[in-house]
């Protein structure tokens, strides 16, 4: 008799993308609001690329990402669609980041102050989607349908948005502020451990002292030039050092 073939532990598409069988994990359903917020941000970026920057090709790819994200939402947070969406977000985010850096290097003088953050919003939305998809990918292999002896189940892999997604609700501004304050406190503590806060204070003192010396030198040079030019009306423009008056004897 032939021995039955051992069943595969996981069905994979293209070797890395899991094919979900059955419903999504409870955790994936609980963070649906994060998915909705990121997809909405990508739709807004797509509209902005068309209306403001006339970047139709870039808007086309951003629109495809948003469509795949909507399909993932319609399919009950299907991990297969989420992984495809996350890979697309990562590739687009890298390309758009390079496309943002190069104009900043060569055309910084021709960009308006509002154009820079608007352009930066596109790769931010895409990289945020990639990080969120990676978070759900790890959750699938640790607690979801893929947690059955897979090598990722107990691996301490980096998860940039792990704590943020768990603790912050993007639909509530108070939760966002609380999360931002917490992340700021963590960064501040890390800076203190690395000694960056002391270096920043020393740099600030040195910069202040240097500006004071430069201002004093410039003020002296301007005053000397005024005296040499013989402009009596301009002598009162510069502050004169105050001298104490001697009081006359009382009696």
């Amino acid at each position: 008799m032939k021995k039955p073939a051992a069943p595969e532990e996981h069905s994979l598409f293209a070797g890395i993308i899991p094919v979900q069988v059955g419903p999504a994990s409870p955790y994936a359903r609980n963070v649906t609001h994060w998915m909705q917020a990121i997809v909405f941000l990508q739709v807004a970026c797509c509209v902005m690329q068309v209306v403001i920057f006339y970047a139709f090709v870039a808007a086309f790819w951003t629109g495809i990402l948003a469509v795949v994200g909507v399909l993932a939402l319609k399919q009950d947070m299907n991990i297969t669609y989420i992984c495809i969406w996350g890979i697309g977000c990562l590739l687009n985010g890298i390309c758009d980041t390079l496309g943002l850096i190069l104009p900043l290097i060569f055309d910084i003088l021709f960009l308006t102050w509002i154009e820079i953050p608007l352009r930066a919003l596109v790769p931010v939305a895409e990289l945020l989607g990639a990080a969120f998809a990676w978070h759900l990918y790890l959750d699938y292999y640790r607690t979801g349908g893929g947690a059955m002896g897979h090598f990722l189940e107990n691996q301490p892999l980096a998860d940039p948005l792990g704590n943020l997604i768990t603790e912050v609700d993007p639909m509530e501004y108070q939760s966002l502020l609380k999360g931002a304050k917490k992340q700021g406190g963590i960064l501040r503590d890390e800076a203190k451990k690395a000694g960056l806060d002391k270096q920043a204070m020393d740099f600030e003192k040195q910069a202040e002292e240097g500006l004071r010396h430069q201002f004093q030198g410039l003020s002296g040079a301007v005053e000397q030039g005024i005296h040499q030019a013989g402009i009596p009306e301009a002598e009162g423009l510069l502050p004169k050092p105050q001298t104490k008056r001697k009081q006359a004897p009382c009696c």
Side-chain angles (χ1 to χ4, degrees):
M1 296 178 60
K2 292 184 179 181
K3 294 182 179 180
E8 294 182 358
E9 291 184 357
H10 305 284
S11 299
L12 298 176
F13 174 73
I16 56 174
I17 300 176
V19 178
Q20 179 172 316
V21 178
S25 66
Y27 177 78
R29 289 176 173 176
N30 288 335
V31 295
T32 304
H33 49 286
W34 268 97
M35 185 79 175
Q36 293 171 347
I38 296 174
V39 171
F40 176 79
L41 184 60
Q42 291 178 351
V43 171
C45 289
C46 179
V47 175
M48 177 185 66
Q49 287 173 314
V50 172
V51 176
I52 299 179
F53 301 120
Y54 303 105
F56 298 102
V57 176
F60 172 76
W61 291 111
T62 307
I64 287 187
L65 291 179
V67 169
V68 177
V70 171
L71 286 176
L73 285 169
K74 293 292 185 181
Q75 295 296 324
D76 193 23
M77 298 295 286
N78 188 293
I79 191 63
T80 306
Y81 287 96
I82 288 176
C83 288
I84 296 174
W85 174 69
I87 293 174
C89 286
L90 179 62
L91 296 177
N92 259 32
I94 294 174
C95 294
D96 286 338
T97 300
L98 295 176
L100 173 68
I101 293 175
L102 294 178
L104 287 179
I105 295 175
F106 297 105
D107 298 329
I108 185 65
L109 298 178
F110 302 99
L111 297 176
T112 60
W113 65 272
I114 192 63
E115 187 175 356
I116 296 175
L118 288 180
R119 288 185 180 275
L121 187 62
V122 178
V124 167
E126 293 166 346
L127 294 177
L128 185 63
F132 178 73
W134 173 250
H135 176 71
L136 292 184
Y137 184 78
L138 293 179
D139 171 72
Y140 178 79
Y141 279 118
R142 288 173 180 171
T143 62
M148 297 185 332
H150 195 268
F151 73 97
L152 287 179
E153 186 175 351
N154 297 316
Q155 294 295 324
L157 298 176
D159 189 3
L161 296 182
N163 295 330
L164 184 65
I165 293 175
T166 305
E167 299 174 359
V168 177
D169 186 352
M171 302 302 179
E172 298 180 1
Y173 76 95
Q174 293 181 349
S175 178
L176 288 174
L177 291 177
K178 184 179 178 181
K181 289 180 180 179
K182 184 175 181 179
Q183 293 297 323
I186 293 175
L187 293 176
R188 196 181 308 114
D189 294 339
E190 292 294 333
K192 287 182 179 179
K193 291 180 181 178
L196 296 178
D197 55 339
K198 186 177 183 301
Q199 295 178 7
M201 292 177 63
D202 294 341
F203 177 78
E204 184 179 354
K205 291 180 181 178
Q206 293 176 3
E208 184 179 354
E209 190 69 21
L211 289 174
R212 187 183 298 111
H213 288 310
Q214 290 181 5
F215 177 76
Q216 291 176 352
L218 180 62
S219 178
V222 172
E223 186 176 1
Q224 184 178 1
I226 289 175
H227 287 304
Q228 291 178 355
I231 308 176
E233 294 82 359
E235 292 183 358
L237 296 177
L238 295 175
K240 295 182 178 180
Q242 295 182 356
T243 57
K244 293 184 178 180
R245 291 183 177 180
K246 293 185 179 180
Q247 292 184 350
C250 179
C251 299

